[in-house]
Amino acid sequence: MSAALREPEPRYISGADGEWEVVIGMEVHAQVASEAKLFSGASTSFGAEPNANVSLVDAAMPGMLPVVNAFCVEQAVRTGLGIAAKINLRSGFDRKNYFYPDLPQGYQISQFKTPVVGEGEVLVELGPGIARKVGVERIHLEQDAGKSIHDLDPDSSFVDLNRSGVALMEIVSRPDMRSAEEAGAYLRKLRTILRYLGTSDGDMEKGNLRADVNVSVRRPGGPLGTRCEIKNVNSIRFVMQAVETEARRQIAVIEDGGKIDQETRLFDPRKLETRAMRSKEEAQDYRYFPDPDLPPLVLTEAFVEGIRASLPELPDAKTARLVADYGVTDYDAAVLAADRASADFFEEAAQGRDGKSVANWIINELFGRLNKEGLELAASPLSAAQIGGVVDLVAKGDISGKIAKDLFEILWTEGGDPAAVVEARGMRQVTDEGAIEAAVDAVIAANPEKVEQARAKPSLAGWFVGQAMKAMGGKANPQALNELVKRKLGVE
């Protein structure tokens, strides 16, 4: 961790008889961005008709043999390099044995003893100058199961195997997080890295990013408690709620004289509670053994280094560069770099302009309006060039900040070139001192009693500024207007 960053202060949960510390680890399942599945050529497209994307391999037909999709391996290695992890040049696939109706083989092909990616880390920013370094224990490749559907018929369940065999990266963290906020920030940062790398779209609504959250509690500085795993949490907000809910449940059980059983639980976001799903399995319960149909996965240094050379600029590096190159604040740089498209949009708009002004317009005005309308940046009615054009007009003094907001509204609803709109609608601000002075004189002449009040109480000069601005249709140069009012009234 950089010397300029410090770890967050300890955060505790107050129980009935003292304080408790929550300890959190996470297993994140990220769907690999690939057009084909891990061991077959079947499509991974989302939204297809049930069982439309199923090959004979995915359906576990007799005699069908899996063949590793090399691109999925490349994506896993790329992810590992993106979190500064060790890449294991020799890894292997194992069979994880369990029965479920949507698991056609009766086992899942995964990596148990020898994952393709070893130890790495994710730096999680938690505030100005505050960060937590979360260790990643491993990343392994595995195939997804299908989906059981129970609500189409009161007497039957249905199985959709479209997801069966889709490649997943299971990213296993160490128990380094200490609050619900840290867990949410970790998952958010990890998703950002995956999107920058192009190795997963991280779309939690589609199930392409899911988290199993391990929660335990202990007395501050004490030994680790018994953990419970909250399975398949599918939003960052739900992850944070699940951590808080489960931690408080465990504290209540322990303080009531009970003990925590290691188990798998489910989180109900409507009731804000976790409930037992099953006792937690250990590795031996799955009877892991090497998959006899798949040889060891052997990579070369040249293969790994070729991927390393193709890595894009990652979020932490981009944040630092935006601060250095454009003079934006650390906060603004972090907001812009949180999404690759946002950072690219900003850099396009900021070329040859004051970076701070451009960042303010994008973060406060554009992002604020997009959030209000429920739109993604890709659907923005305003382009980077239009934002840059607005900033140019303000910088040249052609329009004031207030007029710029009116212009923004016109561009949002009607489009057009900012400079052309200003000319066509007569929005250019008045900088002619004579015209401004005439408006000020008129207001002063019409309100002699307020003149005396303002001279006794200089803060009332703002009333004259407002009246003169109103008389000029909001087009007076604010700085010139303020100076003239003060001079005419003889106040500072």
Side-chain angles (χ1 to χ4, degrees):
M1 189 180 299
S2 166
L5 296 174
R6 66 182 190 279
E7 287 197 345
E9 295 295 323
R11 293 188 60 184
Y12 304 123
I13 297 176
S14 296
D17 61 1
E19 293 187 322
W20 296 84
E21 182 180 39
V22 60
V23 178
I24 307 151
M26 208 176 297
E27 297 161 12
V28 176
H29 295 84
Q31 180 175 323
V32 176
S34 169
E35 293 183 359
K37 296 182 180 181
L38 183 55
F39 298 115
S40 81
S43 171
T44 60
S45 62
F46 180 79
E49 289 294 315
N51 297 305
N53 297 339
V54 185
S55 75
L56 296 177
V57 173
D58 307 323
M61 290 292 128
M64 295 298 103
L65 297 175
V67 177
V68 176
N69 181 339
F71 182 70
C72 293
V73 175
E74 182 179 332
Q75 292 286 64
V77 172
R78 187 182 305 278
T79 302
L81 293 173
I83 60 168
K86 176 187 176 185
I87 306 302
N88 296 319
L89 298 182
R90 185 182 179 90
S91 61
F93 289 97
D94 303 280
R95 289 187 180 180
K96 179 181 181 181
N97 295 272
Y98 63 97
F99 172 78
Y100 212 70
D102 55 23
L103 190 68
Q105 297 156 310
Y107 59 84
Q108 177 189 38
I109 302 178
S110 182
Q111 293 188 307
F112 174 55
K113 291 186 177 180
T114 53
V116 66
V117 177
E119 294 184 349
E121 64 184 32
V122 176
L123 186 66
V124 181
E125 298 82 4
L126 301 166
I130 303 172
R132 171 81 73 190
K133 189 183 291 184
V134 177
V136 171
E137 186 176 293
R138 57 190 277 147
I139 301 176
H140 61 259
L141 280 167
E142 63 184 23
Q143 58 180 175
D144 204 353
K147 180 181 180 182
S148 295
I149 303 167
H150 307 292
D151 57 359
L152 294 181
D153 187 287
D155 301 316
S156 302
S157 290
F158 297 85
V159 174
D160 179 6
L161 296 181
N162 278 346
R163 289 191 68 91
S164 178
V166 167
L168 300 177
M169 294 178 288
E170 182 169 338
I171 305 166
V172 183
S173 86
R174 295 195 177 282
D176 290 341
M177 291 160 274
R178 295 293 180 267
S179 70
E181 290 74 19
E182 289 184 23
Y186 166 75
L187 189 54
R188 194 176 294 111
K189 179 64 175 288
L190 183 60
R191 182 178 64 179
T192 296
I193 292 171
L194 293 172
R195 287 176 170 175
Y196 265 73
L197 293 166
T199 55
S200 176
D201 65 16
D203 192 333
M204 301 187 84
E205 291 186 2
K206 294 179 180 177
N208 294 353
L209 193 72
R210 316 189 291 271
D212 298 340
V213 189
N214 292 290
V215 178
S216 65
V217 296
R218 65 179 179 183
R219 294 295 186 183
L224 293 174
T226 301
R227 64 186 171 90
C228 291
E229 179 185 52
I230 307 167
K231 198 76 175 172
N232 284 335
V233 188
N234 63 357
S235 89
I236 293 173
R237 180 165 61 92
F238 291 167
V239 163
M240 297 171 67
Q241 291 175 343
V243 167
E244 192 75 20
T245 299
E246 176 61 16
R248 293 186 182 279
R249 182 194 73 84
Q250 292 184 20
I251 291 168
V253 169
I254 297 170
E255 291 187 336
D256 199 38
K259 72 180 187 70
I260 302 301
D261 295 320
Q262 185 171 330
E263 61 186 359
T264 298
R265 301 180 70 85
L266 293 175
F267 175 63
D268 187 333
R270 290 171 297 180
K271 296 181 179 180
L272 289 180
E273 65 181 24
T274 65
R275 63 177 185 270
M277 178 183 177
R278 59 176 182 261
S279 60
K280 175 63 179 170
E281 301 90 343
E282 301 293 349
Q284 62 266 23
D285 295 322
Y286 291 118
R287 305 184 314 282
Y288 281 102
F289 64 86
D291 192 300
D293 294 331
L294 290 163
L297 187 60
V298 179
L299 310 178
T300 66
E301 288 281 5
F303 175 78
V304 173
E305 291 308 311
I307 296 173
R308 191 192 306 276
S310 71
L311 293 181
E313 182 181 44
L314 292 170
D316 292 341
K318 189 177 289 289
T319 299
R321 185 175 60 78
L322 293 182
V323 172
D325 290 358
Y326 297 96
V328 299
T329 65
D330 290 339
Y331 171 81
D332 286 351
V335 170
L336 294 165
D339 180 76
R340 190 172 180 178
S342 297
D344 291 345
F345 187 97
F346 165 75
E347 292 207 71
E348 182 182 346
Q351 292 303 312
R353 301 182 175 97
D354 177 65
K356 292 180 182 178
S357 297
V358 174
N360 285 339
W361 274 95
I362 291 176
I363 293 172
N364 298 325
E365 302 300 327
L366 181 62
F367 287 178
R369 186 60 178 269
L370 289 170
N371 288 337
K372 181 180 178 182
E373 301 286 342
L375 298 174
E376 297 292 331
L377 180 60
S380 170
L382 268 72
S383 67
Q386 287 173 307
I387 292 289
V390 173
V391 172
D392 288 342
L393 291 167
V394 174
K396 289 189 293 184
D398 290 347
I399 59 174
S400 64
K402 181 181 182 305
I403 295 174
K405 291 188 177 183
D406 295 338
L407 174 60
F408 179 93
E409 184 65 28
I410 294 169
L411 296 173
W412 180 276
T413 56
E414 301 177 23
D417 174 71
V421 171
V422 166
E423 288 300 325
R425 301 205 177 199
M427 299 173 72
R428 188 180 297 274
Q429 77 174 350
V430 177
T431 56
D432 175 36
E433 189 168 317
I436 299 173
E437 186 173 16
V440 172
D441 287 342
V443 174
I444 289 174
N447 299 278
E449 72 288 350
K450 287 192 175 290
V451 172
E452 295 306 316
Q453 293 173 11
R455 285 171 177 162
K457 189 177 181 182
S459 61
L460 293 177
W463 182 86
F464 289 89
V465 172
Q467 292 299 306
M469 183 67 81
K470 184 178 179 181
M472 298 190 69
K475 296 178 184 177
N477 180 287
Q479 184 177 353
L481 177 56
N482 271 285
E483 291 174 355
L484 267 170
V485 166
K486 289 179 180 178
R487 190 167 77 236
K488 293 281 185 178
L489 293 175
V491 300
E492 292 297 328

